[in-house]
Amino acid sequence: MLRKLACALAALALIAPPVSAEPAQAVTHEYIGSITLITGDHVTVRRVGDRLVPAVTPAPGRESVHFATLGTGDELHVVPADAWQRVNAGTLDRRLFDVAALLRDGYGDERRADLPLIVGSTLEPQTRAKHGMAAAWAAQDAPVWLDGLRHPTLDHTAVQIGAPSAWKSGYTGKGVTVAVLDTGVDATHPDLRGRVAEIRSFTDESTRDTDGHGTHVAATIAGRNERYRGIAPDARLLVGKVCQANGCPESAIIKGMRWAAERGAKVVNLSLGGPDAAGSDPLEQAVDRLSAQHGTLFVVAAGNDGSYGAETVGSPASADAALAVGAVDRADARASFSARGPRVRDAAIKPEILAPGVDVVAARSRHSFGTGAHTALSGTSMATPHVAGAAAILAQRHPGWTGRQLKAALMGSAHPIDESVYDQGAGRVDVDRALGVAVTADPPALSFGRSTSDDPVTRTLTYRNPTDAAVPLTLGVTGPFTLSASAITVPARGEASVEVTAGAGDGQLSGFVTAAGVTTPLAIDREPESYDLTIRTVDTTGALTDANFSFLFGGADSRYRPIPTIDGVGTVRVPRGTYHVDGVVATPRPDGAADSHKVVHPVVEVTRDTTLVIDARAARPISVDFDARGVTPKAVGVGYSRSTDTRAVLTGVLGDTFERIHLGQVGPPVDDIISNIGGAWTAPGNRAYHLAWFEYGPIPTGFSRSVRDAELARVDATYRRQAPRHRGMKMWIAREPRFDAAVGFGVPFDLPVARTEYHNVDDLTWSAEFHHLRGQATDQVVVGGPVRHGVGVHREDWNTAVFGPSLAGGDWAARFDDTIGLAIPLFGDSANDRYGLSAVDYGRTVLFREGVKVGETRQPGQGQFEVPEEARRYRLETTATRKSVYAPMVTAAWSFTSQRPETDPKPLGKGGNGLPITAIRFAPRDLDLRNRAAAATIDVTLQPNTGSDPSPFTTLSIEASFDDGLTWHPLPVTRTGPLSATTVVPDLTGEYVSLRARAVDERGSEAELTVLRAYGI
């Protein structure tokens, strides 16, 4: 079984550091995780303030490769230089280097040992072991996409769309097969009993619906309940599980779509999706291909990112053949979350139809969180099955119709609301009207695309008549559009066309053509005054090159956009304005390595078609020299951040030496850029240098520093050993005082070791992160608090037993309203200003309320639990086991009283109120470098939870075991303060000391801790 890092930081949205913390030193950064790229290179990521900071360890044999970094507060790409050309060409999925998203979606090394891919034009899934990535990368030539994860896009509603009238007419979806591709289904639910004809899982999990999303969707389509009846209650359901605990793998979705189409599903419901991009991704290709091959209608949730503005419709709703569904509330107002158009790549009309999606009540899976037989959910996920059910009813009425015809009829009969066409498509679905449709429009939505001028644009709208009688149509039009005719006649079993012309105007213009009950949405995106911005990327030989990583930042939305180049030339269309353009250009060396030149144009005025040359020769060298001898660079980087009122962009180049990295700015200076230059160096005698410099205003064109030991802070650090054949890595992270910009670097070393570490002062705050390495992978990480060392000598110990729970510097256990949220790190070392995470083989967390189990998770120290408002007595138990010499099992328990907080200590409810719990911390004195002692005095600290007032202990008992917990012996306790004590373990023979303690404080809260093999004898 793959071991998982017990990473509380990324697991719990309720918890956010820190509240009003009282530990003397609060932890200032959070370790997020590590990921092995498709190239075999290893990236670790931590959050420092509001930004993500990467560190890269190249794969063996790739030490000379440079890495471009680009991100915002929540996004981070790390792209090796030998991938730049393929990313630019579109044959390598950019998501393979989006390390923030890869970690968020569970691809991190702590969670899986392989990387799922989709390869070649046949879109075949392929799983590649991470330990062989570098070799496979060297031989890779076919197009490669990440087998990414898409996510589910979360009584009155049937009446709202006209379903009861259809039922009265005898149309209930009978005889029609609808496939639901989702999180599985609880087929035993009374509303779905007998409705599911076949269930199949395309994931590694069973078909059991532990999420509840798929059951809710299936019941919305075909549930049988007097009050919460499905839209097509007699439809036959096929259920494919394509979503697992951490999301929906794209390869599983594709397999599920093929299965559904081949099994005869007329309609396929996809209440899932992910961000759309300019190209055609594998899911979009699969939707269009299967629709054409089988006549299937794929009804797809548009997504829930509408609050972010335009162009937020997700994929695969963005596919041409998909029917993209947005959401309305019960008053037919567009839901604020409902994704908005136009489509990213061509301003096509998406979403295409709306349906109820707010507080939709349907069946709750008995395997999912919550209580009761039904639950209310909101999202375009909930709107989508309303349209799928309507399509099933219509397919019963017209069994020979293709998915294309069903889509046209549903859109043509929809009820427009008071919104732009780009936000609603044809309007809210009306199944009763759809049953009466005879004539349909082709296309059912007339998109005029994106226009760069005010010139008229004309498109053809064709009406098709499947009946045996001619149908005369009187035509009307709204918006800045005109028709070539006001009336036409569509012959029996024939067609007739009309020309529609879009007139002048600015911005996104929309309207409708109406024709005897058939409504067709129209839209054109007439861009504001805009121009082509073309870049030409030139290496140091003067040649155009695609070996570059370039982007644009700025504009009205302050987003960054990659600028891919072909033959060294790339063009983007932008509104008139001022932009920031950046490119890092590689020039190969004869020895096979390459020089990287990062060239920044912070002010680019675009008032006409503009060509900008990103010339590598504009960058200048970087040099750092030392008065100490034998200093060698190991990891270096240059970068900067630039912020607007709404966004920030962070970018840089990482490498092994400054000899091949150059930096330069072209154009006028600006005052909103913070540049950083730094790295890690080693020297003989176990010496290391961690240095960082920050510059404000213009980006340095070249840089040089002379480093003198006498001007630095010196840290004499001891790193103990937990097990043979493990190494360590110390990351020193520097933060500047003005804007909290941060940069950090680390170097691996053998354990145990005593090192001398130097870092510059320069009004910087430093914090450290220690990685315990098994090979290249991190199996434990300990994160320390901030220090502001002055010039002189300082002392630190790391990787020192006892390893156990720590509540330093984070909201690890909090209550928000009626939810208790937990993310307690269980493997900090003995220092009280640090917390620690570890790979574990088994974990469990259980919360009890007055002896009755509230809930349980299979994650150590983690969980979210709904609790009643009133004050109640709770007991929290957690345990974790791991393969380790020390602390192979940690078990902790807390008993406390909690009730709904009267006030929230943070704006918008972030952080919650700290639970009144305490961590018991052991710190044996005089351990040797292998964490052993013959006899030991142990300092004991009771560490209060962040946001909870310290409460002195009234009772503290400590026991020791010398046989791995078979027998226990009481130890003497000497109180040294309200939250501290000492105990003494006698001089004994044997191998290990295990420790067990129980504390009660003045509030009546209790804490218990057991650490097997706490330290060695």
Side-chain angles (χ1 to χ4, degrees), residues 241-259:
K241 181 168 181 173
V242 299
C243 300
Q244 53 201 26
N246 63 334
C248 315
E250 291 173 12
S251 60
I253 300 171
I254 292 172
K255 290 177 183 176
M257 289 194 293
R258 288 174 177 162
W259 168 76

Side-chain angles (χ1 to χ4, degrees), residues 840-926:
V840 299
D841 298 306
Y842 169 80
R844 180 174 182 258
T845 300
V846 188
L847 182 68
F848 297 92
R849 182 180 65 248
E850 297 178 349
V852 178
K853 185 164 77 170
V854 176
E856 177 179 347
T857 74
R858 292 295 178 180
Q859 297 294 327
Q862 300 180 43
Q864 291 192 42
F865 304 98
E866 298 300 315
V867 295
E869 173 185 354
E870 300 80 11
R872 292 288 188 270
R873 187 72 174 171
Y874 294 91
R875 179 176 172 84
L876 170 66
E877 298 177 355
T878 187
T879 188
T881 63
R882 62 178 188 159
K883 292 182 177 68
S884 177
V885 172
Y886 296 115
M889 175 180 286
V890 173
T891 301
W894 293 272
S895 297
F896 57 93
T897 299
S898 179
Q899 66 186 58
R900 179 188 291 176
E902 294 182 3
T903 59
D904 174 34
K906 285 188 172 183
L908 303 179
K910 295 178 180 177
N913 288 257
L915 297 177
I917 67 172
T918 297
I920 301 173
R921 310 276 297 139
F922 296 118
R925 301 177 191 173
D926 302 322

Side-chain angles (χ1 to χ4, degrees), residues 681 683 685-690 713-719 753-758:
W681 292 256
N686 287 322
R687 289 179 295 142
Y689 293 82
H690 296 260
R714 169 180 158 180
V715 180
D716 292 337
T718 298
Y719 298 87
V753 68
R755 301 176 84 221
T756 301
E757 300 169 350
Y758 296 91

